[in-house]
C-alpha cells in the first residue's frame, strides 16, 4: 500500500490499542493525600523541559516497527504497555515520606538535646550564660518539662549548667531535675493551656472573706484558722480607718511577680497582725481571685488546690467565665475601616432612599464588630457611620479603628502595637499593614496609662498582680494571663474579671479580653520558648514596639 496510507493505518492502530495515549496529552497522574500530585504528573517528567524522552514513547514509530504493529497488533500492545509501565515511576507515598522526615528530625533533636528535665521550684531562673551572675533571660515554673544538652561546669552552680531549648542555661539541682530519662515531680500542677483563651481555670472569692491554707487543714486547724481570720479582719479594719484619716498620694499600679511560697511573718505584715502558723497562708477578701489546679475533698469539705499549691474552701468561691469579647484579624473581607459596638442597647437604622428619614432596624450585639464603608451621614446634628450592609449606627455607640502612619523610629518590616487612649482601641501592625484590632481598657482617672514609645520588656504566660495589704484598695489576682510588661509595672494583659472593654477601668495597665491577649502574646516578640513560663527581652531578641497616644 502507499507509504502515507501505511503510516496512517499504523498510527490509527496505535491510538486504538493504547487508550492511555491520546494525541499528545500527558497521562493523568494520581494524587496522594492532600491533593499533592505524584511524580508521574510532575512537570519535571514532561518532554521538552530538560528531561530525556523514553526509548519508545509509542507515538511515532519507525517503518519496521509499524509493519510489526500491522502484522501483530496484540504483540505491539503488549510491548507498548510494558514500555508505558517502565516510563511511569511507582506512586509516591506522601504519608510515608512525611513520617520518615519527622523521624529524621526527631533523631536529630534527640542527638542535640539528649537529656530530660523538670522544674521543681515554683519559679526557677534561666541564665544567658553558664554563670550564676549572668543575665536572667527567662524562667520556668513547677512541673515544666524540657530538654537539655550535656552539662558544663561554671560559677554559681554546685553541679552543672545545662543549655535548654530556647537559648539559656539552668543549674541542675537549683530548681531543676535533669537526667537521661523523662523526669517528673509530684505533685506538679496542671500545665498552662496555651491553646485556650485562659491558661488556667480561675475562681473568685464571693464571701466577705475566706482563708487560704498551705495544706488541707485538720479540724483543729480549721478552728484556729477562724480565730486568725477574725484577728486579721480587725487589723484590716483598723488600717483602713487610719488610711481614710490620712490619704496618701497616688502611687500607680504595683503588680508583682510571685516568688516561691513562704510563710508571711508578723514583721513582714507590720502593725498588730497576728503571727501566722505554717499551715495558714493568708486572709482573702471578696473579689480576690485564685488560679485553680484541681479540686480535692477532705471528708465533707471541698477545696480548690491553687496553681501555687495552696488550698481554699470551694464553697467560698465561684468559678470564672471569661468574657466573650473578640477582636478581628484583618484579611479577606475584613479590613479597615471597622468599628466595635461598646455601648449596650445600641441600635442600627435604615435610611429611606427617597425621603432620607431614618427608621429603627434592630439591636446591635455588645462588642459586635462592624465593617464600615468610611461614609458618615449627619442628621439633626447626630453623626452616623454606614456599614457595608447599609446600616446606620450612631458614632457615640462605636469605637472606630483609625489606622495611623508608622512612626519613623520603627522599621518598615517590624511589628508594632498602637494603643489609642481616646478611642480605647489597639491595632497591631506589621510594617505599614494593620493585622489585628480590638478594644482595650486602660487606666482610669488617677491611674492613667503612660503615653510614648516603648518596647515589650518581658512576657509571661501568667503573672500574679496583688496588693492584698493595701488599706484602701486591696486586691489579689493570681496568674493574670498573657502578661507583657512594656514599662516598669505597666503591662498589656488579659482581664477575665470584667467585660467593659472600650472604657477606661484599670490601674494603669492595658486590659484586653483573654482571647485577644493570647493572640497578641503569641504574635509579639520575644517568642516564648517551649517549656518556659516567662521570657525577657534582650538586645539580641528585642521586644515588639508599643506606641501609646492620647
Amino acid at each position: 500500500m502507499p507509504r502515507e496510507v501505511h503510516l496512517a493505518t499504523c498510527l490509527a492502530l496505535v491510538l486504538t490499542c493504547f487508550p492511555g495515549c491520546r494525541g499528545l496529552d500527558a497521562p493523568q497522574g494520581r494524587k496522594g493525600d492532600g491533593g499533592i500530585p505524584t511524580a508521574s504528573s510532575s512537570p519535571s517528567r514532561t518532554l521538552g523541559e530538560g528531561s530525556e524522552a523514553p526509548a519508545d514513547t509509542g507515538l511515532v514509530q519507525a517503518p519496521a516497527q509499524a509493519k510489526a504493529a500491522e502484522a501483530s497488533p496484540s504483540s505491539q500492545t503488549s510491548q507498548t504497555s510494558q514500555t508505558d509501565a517502565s516510563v511511569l515511576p511507582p506512586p509516591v507515598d506522601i504519608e510515608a515520606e512525611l513520617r520518615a522526615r519527622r523521624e529524621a528530625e526527631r533523631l536529630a533533636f534527640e542527638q542535640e538535646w539528649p537529656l530530660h528535665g523538670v522544674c521543681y521550684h515554683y519559679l526557677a531562673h534561666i541564665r544567658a550564660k553558664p554563670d550564676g551572675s549572668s543575665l536572667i533571660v527567662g524562667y520556668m515554673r513547677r512541673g515544666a518539662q524540657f530538654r537539655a544538652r550535656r552539662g558544663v561546669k561554671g560559677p554559681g552552680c554546685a553541679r552543672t549548667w545545662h543549655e535548654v531549648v530556647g537559648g539559656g542555661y539552668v543549674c541542675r539541682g537549683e530548681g531543676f531535675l535533669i537526667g537521661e530519662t523523662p523526669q517528673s515531680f509530684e505533685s506538679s500542677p496542671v500545665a498552662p493551656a496555651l491553646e485556650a483563651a485562659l491558661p488556667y481555670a480561675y475562681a473568685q472569692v464571693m464571701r466577705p472573706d475566706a482563708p487560704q491554707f498551705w495544706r488541707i487543714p485538720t479540724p483543729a486547724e480549721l478552728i484556729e484558722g477562724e480565730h486568725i481570720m477574725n484577728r486579721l479582719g480587725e487589723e484590716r479594719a483598723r488600717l483602713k480607718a487610719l488610711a481614710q484619716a490620712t490619704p496618701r498620694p497616688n502611687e500607680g499600679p504595683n503588680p508583682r511577680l510571685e516568688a516561691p511560697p513562704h510563710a508571711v511573718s508578723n514583721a513582714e505584715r507590720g502593725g498588730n497582725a497576728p503571727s501566722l502558723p505554717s499551715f495558714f497562708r493568708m486572709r482573702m477578701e471578696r473579689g480576690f481571685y485564685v488560679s485553680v489546679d484541681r479540686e480535692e475533698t477532705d471528708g465533707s469539705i471541698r477545696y480548690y488546690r491553687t496553681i501555687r499549691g495552696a488550698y481554699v474552701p470551694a464553697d467560698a468561691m465561684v468559678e470564672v467565665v471569661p468574657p466573650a469579647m473578640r477582636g478581628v484579624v484583618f484579611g479577606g473581607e475584613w479590613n479597615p475601616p471597622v468599628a466595635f459596638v461598646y455601648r449596650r442597647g445600641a441600635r442600627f437604622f435604615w435610611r429611606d432612599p427617597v425621603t432620607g428619614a431614618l427608621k429603627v432596624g434592630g439591636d446591635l450585639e455588645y462588642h459586635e464588630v462592624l465593617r464600615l464603608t468610611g461614609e458618615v451621614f449627619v442628621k439633626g446634628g447626630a453623626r452616623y457611620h454606614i456599614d457595608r450592609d447599609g446600616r446606620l449606627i450612631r458614632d457615640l455607640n462605636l469605637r472606630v479603628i483609625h489606622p495611623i502612619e508608622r512612626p519613623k523610629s520603627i522599621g518598615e518590616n517590624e511589628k508594632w502595637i498602637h494603643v489609642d487612649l481616646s478611642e480605647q482601641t489597639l491595632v497591631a501592625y506589621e510594617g505599614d499593614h494593620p493585622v489585628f484590632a480590638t478594644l482595650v481598657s486602660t487606666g482610669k482617672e488617677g491611674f492613667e496609662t503612660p503615653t510614648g514609645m516603648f518596647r515589650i520588656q518581658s512576657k509571661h504566660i501568667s503573672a500574679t498582680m496583688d496588693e492584698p495589704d493595701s488599706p484602701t484598695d486591696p486586691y489579689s489576682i493570681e496568674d493574670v494571663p498573657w502578661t507583657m510588661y512594656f514599662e516598669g509595672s505597666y503591662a498589656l494583659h488579659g482581664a477575665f474579671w470584667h467585660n467593659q472593654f472600650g472604657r477606661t477601668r484599670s490601674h494603669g495597665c492595658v486590659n484586653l479580653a483573654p482571647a485577644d491577649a493570647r493572640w497578641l502574646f503569641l504574635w509579639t516578640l520575644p517568642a516564648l520558648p517551649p517549656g518556659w513560663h516567662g521570657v525577657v527581652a534582650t538586645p539580641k531578641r528585642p521586644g515588639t514596639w508599643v506606641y501609646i497616644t492620647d
Side-chain angles (χ1 to χ4, degrees), residues 321-339:
V321 177
M325 166 72 198
R326 296 291 189 277
V328 58
V329 178
F330 291 130
E333 296 182 354
W334 285 95
N335 285 294
V338 299

Side-chain angles (χ1 to χ4, degrees), residues 204-543:
Q204 179 186 13
V205 177
M206 295 305 293
R207 292 179 181 173
D209 58 11
Q212 187 174 133
F213 305 102
W214 279 123
R215 54 178 169 79
I216 293 179
T218 66
E221 289 171 342
L222 277 175
I223 296 174
E224 184 182 356
E226 291 180 2
H227 294 308
I228 294 173
M229 290 286 291
N230 291 334
R231 294 200 299 272
L232 289 175
E234 293 170 358
E235 177 66 7
R236 169 80 179 87
R238 184 187 69 81
L239 293 176
K240 183 176 181 179
L242 180 63
Q244 290 174 340
T246 55
R248 64 177 183 177
N250 170 42
E251 297 176 354
N254 185 32
R256 302 195 300 263
L257 286 179
E258 288 202 34
H262 65 281
V264 181
S265 68
N266 185 47
E268 290 177 298
R269 287 187 173 272
N272 299 317
S275 178
L276 302 180
S278 61
F279 71 89
F280 192 95
R281 184 182 180 221
M282 65 181 293
R283 170 184 177 270
M284 301 185 298
E285 298 198 18
R286 187 193 305 273
F288 283 23
Y289 293 86
V290 298
S291 52
V292 179
D293 176 25
R294 69 194 70 166
E295 182 179 311
E296 296 186 14
T297 302
D298 182 54
S300 61
I301 304 177
R302 292 187 308 117
Y303 291 94
Y304 287 142
R305 184 179 188 267
T306 71
I307 293 296
R308 188 166 180 174
Y311 291 84
V312 297
D315 63 359
M317 316 295 290
V318 63
E319 293 185 37
V320 168
V321 177
M325 166 72 198
R326 296 291 189 277
V328 58
V329 178
F330 291 130
E333 296 182 354
W334 285 95
N335 285 294
V338 299
F340 292 85
V341 178
Y342 84 104
R343 290 179 183 269
R344 299 183 186 273
R347 294 180 172 183
F348 67 88
F349 299 85
W350 298 114
R351 181 173 55 172
D352 187 287
V354 178
T355 65
L358 300 181
K359 61 178 181 179
V360 176
D363 296 327
L364 293 167
E365 295 286 338
Y366 183 54
H367 288 157
E368 182 177 346
V369 190
L370 307 176
R371 298 179 301 156
L372 302 182
T373 63
E375 299 179 62
V376 175
F377 175 72
V378 180
K379 185 177 180 65
R383 289 167 50 87
Y384 297 83
H385 289 275
I386 304 175
D387 74 2
R388 298 181 203 178
D389 294 322
R391 302 181 299 181
L392 284 76
I393 306 97
R394 285 283 302 270
D395 66 346
L396 55 79
N397 294 317
L398 301 179
R399 295 298 196 189
V400 181
I401 299 298
H402 299 289
I404 64 171
E405 291 186 2
R406 171 173 49 87
K408 294 181 179 179
S409 59
I410 298 176
E412 60 181 10
N413 295 318
E414 285 191 281
K415 295 180 177 182
W416 57 288
I417 295 168
H418 176 230
V419 178
D420 186 332
L421 298 182
S422 62
E423 284 290 326
Q424 291 293 288
T425 59
L426 178 149
V427 181
Y429 294 82
E430 293 178 0
D432 297 318
H433 306 289
V435 296
F436 175 80
T438 191
L439 294 178
V440 296
S441 288
T442 62
K444 60 187 177 182
E445 184 178 358
F447 297 89
E448 287 80 5
T449 301
T451 59
M453 185 73 74
F454 311 97
R455 275 191 184 272
I456 290 177
Q457 298 172 346
S458 63
K459 292 169 55 175
H460 313 261
I461 293 175
S462 64
T464 291
M465 299 181 182
D466 63 0
E467 197 173 356
D469 298 325
S470 168
T472 57
D473 191 18
Y475 66 95
S476 178
I477 307 173
E478 292 184 0
D479 287 311
V480 174
W482 319 119
T483 299
M484 297 160 274
Y485 287 100
F486 61 85
E487 174 69 6
S489 59
Y490 294 98
L492 301 146
H493 62 72
F496 55 76
W497 51 90
H498 76 84
N499 193 25
Q500 298 179 15
F501 304 103
R503 302 174 182 273
T504 57
R505 191 185 190 280
S506 78
H507 282 189
C509 289
V510 179
N511 288 188
L512 297 113
D516 294 340
R518 174 186 174 273
W519 191 96
L520 276 181
F521 186 89
L522 298 177
W523 176 82
T524 53
L525 299 174
L528 184 75
W532 297 29
H533 197 88
V535 60
V536 179
T538 65
K540 291 185 177 180
R541 51 181 183 193

Side-chain angles (χ1 to χ4, degrees), residues 98-114:
L98 290 175
R99 287 195 299 269
R101 187 180 302 121
R102 293 192 189 103
E103 179 63 12
E105 292 172 350
R106 186 190 68 80
L107 292 175
F109 179 85
E110 293 284 343
Q111 185 175 9
E112 184 177 2
W113 307 95

Side-chain angles (χ1 to χ4, degrees), residues 82-132:
Q82 293 175 0
T83 303
D84 283 354
S86 67
V87 171
L88 297 177
V92 177
D93 188 337
I94 301 300
E95 290 187 354
E97 285 191 353
L98 290 175
R99 287 195 299 269
R101 187 180 302 121
R102 293 192 189 103
E103 179 63 12
E105 292 172 350
R106 186 190 68 80
L107 292 175
F109 179 85
E110 293 284 343
Q111 185 175 9
E112 184 177 2
W113 307 95
L115 301 182
H116 300 257
V118 66
C119 177
Y120 63 84
H121 277 176
Y122 178 74
L123 184 153
H125 292 141
I126 303 168
R127 301 276 179 178
K129 299 177 181 180
D131 185 336

Side-chain angles (χ1 to χ4, degrees), residues 43-60:
S44 65
R45 305 294 298 182
T46 303
L47 298 181
E49 294 184 3
S51 60
E52 295 182 0
D56 183 2
T57 65
L59 296 179
V60 180

